[in-house]
């Protein structure tokens, strides 16, 4: 996630930003990226002689937008990398930039005529990453909604010093999500005269896609899939070039929903051990079966896509049908995962030990915070509304969360934490750094009072 959000700040906006928060300065853009300046110049010469930009993008570009003729979407040039932004200054619709050196190669951009500038769904938040250093890696479509949520959060009005008050940060994020969902639902409301009822199919598709992202971020996969299905139907009828991407998105979304329906994230057991044992399969299989249908449709058009082959094999694993049930032409053989080495078998005892915490990514400290000779556990979370957890070691193989008693219940968020006895009193203190690539937030220096409690002395 870190690399995606960093790329986001460097390059451009997402589906949601390009549509729902569109500025008067936004323009339709196409891009071609190749590996050498010589090839870029040759392409620029061909374009100058009237060669079709979209055709050359499909044939030559190494960027993920190639299949869509290089279409990036409607973007505000001010949100692009500086070298791209500068190259676009003074250009009119239909005109081309020169050759521009960027981290992933050599780029040529075109400002599209207004009537052509909604010809596709544009760049997804995962497709933004290649412009900062993609190399030969192909990134799958992002269906987490996390990047779109960050954009919505940045747009919402905030009170003064909001980023010094952890509860204000939490409430602002909740409000941003509610506002984003409300806005997208309003755009799709057929009774809204300011909505998209008479808009171009591509604009309506973008709105459905954006709303699906926000529903996914909220954990509402059923609602998200309704909007991805709507976007898929529009692609089938009006934007055929987007059909494969929507099939991949739907397959991935249904596989994710299957994991949620089978509680894999809360009670993984052996279902996250790879390769799976013969007895491992999901109890509820309907969503995995739908994932297989969409992955198979995609592979019928792009049979060499290893990423989607992998996802298809995973989906069959959830049915307990790997490898025998996987079509031979799409099978990734078990021999690909065999190893002569063994590291033994680790058993997850966290639930039995009282460490059964369901959370997002975060930091962990294992140390003796109360000087009783036993290692305690402190955890933090990327989620801005979740407090620190302080798991006191009971001395019998179990832990008790004493965050509230320790005065840590109002310390929200923090992807990382670190410990040190900064005041040399023999008791281990805690530092919680926050912000960085996301947005500025204050850190917390938590002094250990040597009595099982902490004080924020920041």
């Amino acid at each position: 996630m870190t690399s995606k959000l960093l790329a986001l700040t460097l390059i451009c906006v997402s589906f949601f930003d390009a549509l729902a928060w569109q500025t008067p300065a936004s323009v339709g853009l196409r891009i071609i990226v190749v590996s050498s300046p010589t090839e870029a110049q040759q392409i620029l010469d061909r374009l100058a002689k009237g060669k079709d930009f979209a055709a050359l993008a499909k044939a030559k570009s190494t960027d993920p937008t190639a299949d869509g003729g290089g279409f990036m979407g409607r973007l505000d040039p001010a949100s692009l990398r500086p070298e791209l932004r500068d190259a676009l200054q003074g250009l009119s619709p239909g005109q081309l930039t020169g050759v521009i050196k960027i981290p992933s190669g050599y780029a040529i951009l075109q400002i599209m005529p207004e009537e052509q500038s909604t010809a596709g769904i544009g760049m997804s938040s995962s497709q933004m990453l290649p412009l900062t250093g993609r190399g030969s890696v192909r990134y799958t479509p992002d269906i987490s909604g996390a990047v779109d949520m960050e954009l919505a959060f940045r747009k919402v009005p905030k009170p003064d010093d909001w980023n010094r008050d952890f509860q204000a940060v939490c409430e602002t994020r909740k409000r941003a999500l509610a506002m984003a969902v409300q806005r997208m639902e309003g755009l799709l409301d057929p009774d809204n005269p300011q909505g998209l009822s008479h808009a171009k199919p591509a604009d309506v598709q973008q709105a459905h896609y954006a709303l699906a992202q926000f529903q996914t971020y909220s954990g509402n996969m059923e609602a998200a899939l309704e909007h991805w299905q709507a976007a898929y139907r529009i692609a089938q009828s009006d934007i055929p070039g987007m059909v494969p991407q929507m099939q991949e998105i739907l397959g991935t979304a249904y596989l994710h929903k299957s994991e949620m329906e089978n509680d894999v994230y809360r009670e993984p057991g052996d279902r996250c051990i790879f390769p799976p044992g013969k007895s491992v399969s999901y109890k509820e299989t309907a969503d995995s079966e739908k994932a297989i249908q969409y992955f198979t449709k995609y592979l019928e058009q792009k049979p060499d896509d290893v990423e989607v082959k992998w996802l298809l094999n995973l989906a069959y694993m959830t049915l307990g049908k790997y490898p025998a049930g996987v079509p031979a032409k799409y099978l990734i053989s078990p021999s690909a995962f065999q190893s002569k080495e063994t590291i033994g078998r680790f058993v997850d005892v966290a639930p039995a030990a009282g460490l059964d915490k369901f959370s997002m990514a975060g930091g962990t400290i294992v140390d003796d915070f109360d000087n009783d000779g036993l290692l305690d556990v402190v955890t933090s979370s990327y989620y801005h509304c979740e407090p620190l957890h302080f798991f006191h070691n009971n001395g019998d193989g179990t832990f008790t969360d004493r965050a509230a008693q320790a005065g840590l219940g109002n310390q929200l968020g923090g992807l990382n934490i670190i410990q040190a006895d900064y005041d040399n009193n023999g008791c281990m203190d805690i530092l919680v750094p926050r912000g960085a690539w996301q947005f500025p937030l204050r850190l917390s220096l938590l002094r250990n009072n040597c009595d099982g409690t902490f004080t924020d002395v920041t």
Side-chain angles (χ1 to χ4, degrees):
M1 187 180 296
T2 302
S3 59
K4 287 184 178 180
L5 290 173
L6 177 60
L8 174 72
T9 64
L10 294 175
I11 302 169
C12 57
V13 293
S14 70
F15 293 130
F16 175 71
D17 209 40
L19 177 66
W21 297 97
Q22 205 169 89
T23 68
S26 63
V27 294
L29 293 174
R30 286 193 177 114
I31 190 169
I32 294 174
V33 180
V34 292
S35 59
S36 74
T38 301
E39 183 180 11
Q41 187 59 53
Q42 291 172 347
I43 291 173
L44 187 60
D45 293 341
R46 295 176 67 182
L47 290 169
K49 294 177 181 178
K51 185 67 176 179
D52 182 66
F53 193 103
L56 279 176
K58 290 180 179 180
K60 300 291 185 181
S61 183
T62 62
D63 192 76
T65 59
D67 287 347
F71 182 57
M72 298 171 64
R74 287 190 62 85
L75 309 171
D76 183 348
S79 63
L80 297 171
R81 295 180 58 88
E83 57 267 45
L84 301 180
R85 180 175 65 242
D86 293 344
L88 288 167
Q89 285 186 359
L91 296 186
S92 301
Q95 292 186 313
L96 302 164
T97 67
V99 175
I100 312 159
K101 177 68 175 73
I102 61 175
S104 58
Y106 296 83
I108 301 166
L109 274 74
Q110 180 191 48
I111 297 180
M112 299 173 64
E114 183 64 25
E115 66 272 15
Q116 299 177 19
S117 64
T118 56
I121 201 166
M123 297 178 70
S124 71
S125 35
S126 59
Q127 287 175 318
M128 299 172 190
L129 187 57
L131 291 182
T132 57
R134 166 178 174 265
S136 61
V137 177
R138 176 188 178 277
Y139 292 88
T140 57
D142 175 25
I143 65 163
S144 70
V147 175
D148 298 82
M149 179 58 202
E150 293 306 320
L151 285 164
F153 179 71
R154 293 178 187 186
K155 297 288 184 179
V156 73
K158 304 174 183 67
D160 293 339
D161 292 331
W162 65 273
N163 55 354
R164 295 183 178 276
D165 182 334
F166 302 137
Q167 193 60 45
V169 174
C170 170
E171 294 303 322
T172 303
R173 288 188 69 83
K174 291 179 179 179
R175 188 170 73 255
L177 179 59
M179 289 175 62
V181 170
Q182 182 181 29
R183 180 173 177 81
M184 300 314 301
E185 289 178 340
L187 287 172
L188 291 168
D189 183 353
D191 296 325
N192 179 10
Q194 305 299 320
L196 298 174
S197 56
H198 300 292
K200 296 178 181 179
D203 290 340
V204 180
Q205 186 193 43
Q206 284 186 349
H208 280 294
Y209 193 103
L211 185 49
Q213 290 281 59
F214 290 118
Q215 295 289 6
T216 300
Y217 186 84
S218 303
N220 302 323
M221 289 304 298
E222 194 72 47
L225 279 160
E226 290 180 8
H227 289 286
W228 270 316
Q229 287 284 6
Y232 180 46
R233 291 191 293 271
I234 293 172
Q236 289 176 307
S237 62
D238 297 282
I239 318 172
M242 291 305 304
V243 168
Q245 182 175 338
M246 290 308 307
Q247 289 168 342
E248 181 180 6
I249 287 167
L250 282 165
T252 306
Y254 273 113
L255 183 56
H256 181 51
K257 183 170 181 284
S258 183
E259 294 168 336
M260 294 174 65
E261 292 290 329
N262 288 277
D263 214 17
V264 169
Y265 297 113
R266 292 181 182 272
E267 297 182 8
D270 290 339
R271 294 177 294 180
C272 289
I273 301 297
F274 188 86
K278 294 182 179 179
S279 63
V280 174
S281 63
Y282 288 0
K283 181 179 180 180
E284 305 294 335
T285 62
D287 291 314
S288 288
E289 291 167 358
K290 290 179 181 178
I292 288 172
Q293 292 174 13
Y294 284 108
F295 289 143
T296 302
K297 288 179 181 179
Y298 178 93
L299 289 168
E300 287 171 354
Q301 302 168 74
K302 299 187 177 184
D304 298 325
D305 191 319
V306 178
E307 178 72 34
V308 176
K309 278 186 182 179
W310 164 244
L311 293 173
L312 178 68
N313 280 253
L314 281 180
Y316 273 105
M317 291 176 195
T318 68
L319 302 182
K321 295 182 179 181
Y322 173 85
V326 184
K329 58 185 176 180
Y330 302 138
L331 175 65
I332 299 177
S333 171
S335 63
F337 312 109
Q338 290 176 353
S339 173
K340 296 179 181 179
E341 306 298 328
T342 179
I343 60 171
R345 177 72 166 85
F346 291 84
V347 178
D348 182 6
V349 298
L355 295 172
D356 191 14
K357 183 172 73 75
F358 183 74
S359 180
M360 298 178 72
T364 302
I365 300 171
V366 179
D367 212 321
D368 183 4
F369 284 96
D370 47 12
N371 292 330
D372 61 358
L374 302 173
L375 295 176
D376 308 299
V377 179
V378 177
T379 65
S380 64
S381 174
Y382 164 82
Y383 182 45
H384 297 284
C385 296
E386 182 173 345
L388 298 186
H389 294 272
F390 174 45
F391 294 99
H392 169 74
N393 192 324
N394 299 322
D396 59 0
T398 67
F399 296 79
T400 301
D401 190 351
R402 294 184 178 176
Q405 299 93 315
L408 300 176
N410 60 352
Q411 293 291 328
L412 308 181
L415 181 59
N416 302 293
I417 48 177
I418 190 170
Q419 80 277 31
D421 181 8
Y422 84 94
D423 53 2
N424 296 317
N425 67 349
C427 298
M428 198 63 69
D429 310 298
I430 299 173
L431 179 70
V432 187
R434 299 182 179 88
W437 45 265
Q438 205 170 20
F439 45 80
L441 285 172
R442 81 164 177 89
L443 52 73
S444 292
L445 177 59
L446 307 173
R447 185 184 66 203
N448 191 330
N449 299 320
C450 301
D451 60 359
T453 66
F454 294 81
T455 299
D456 188 344
V457 297
T458 311

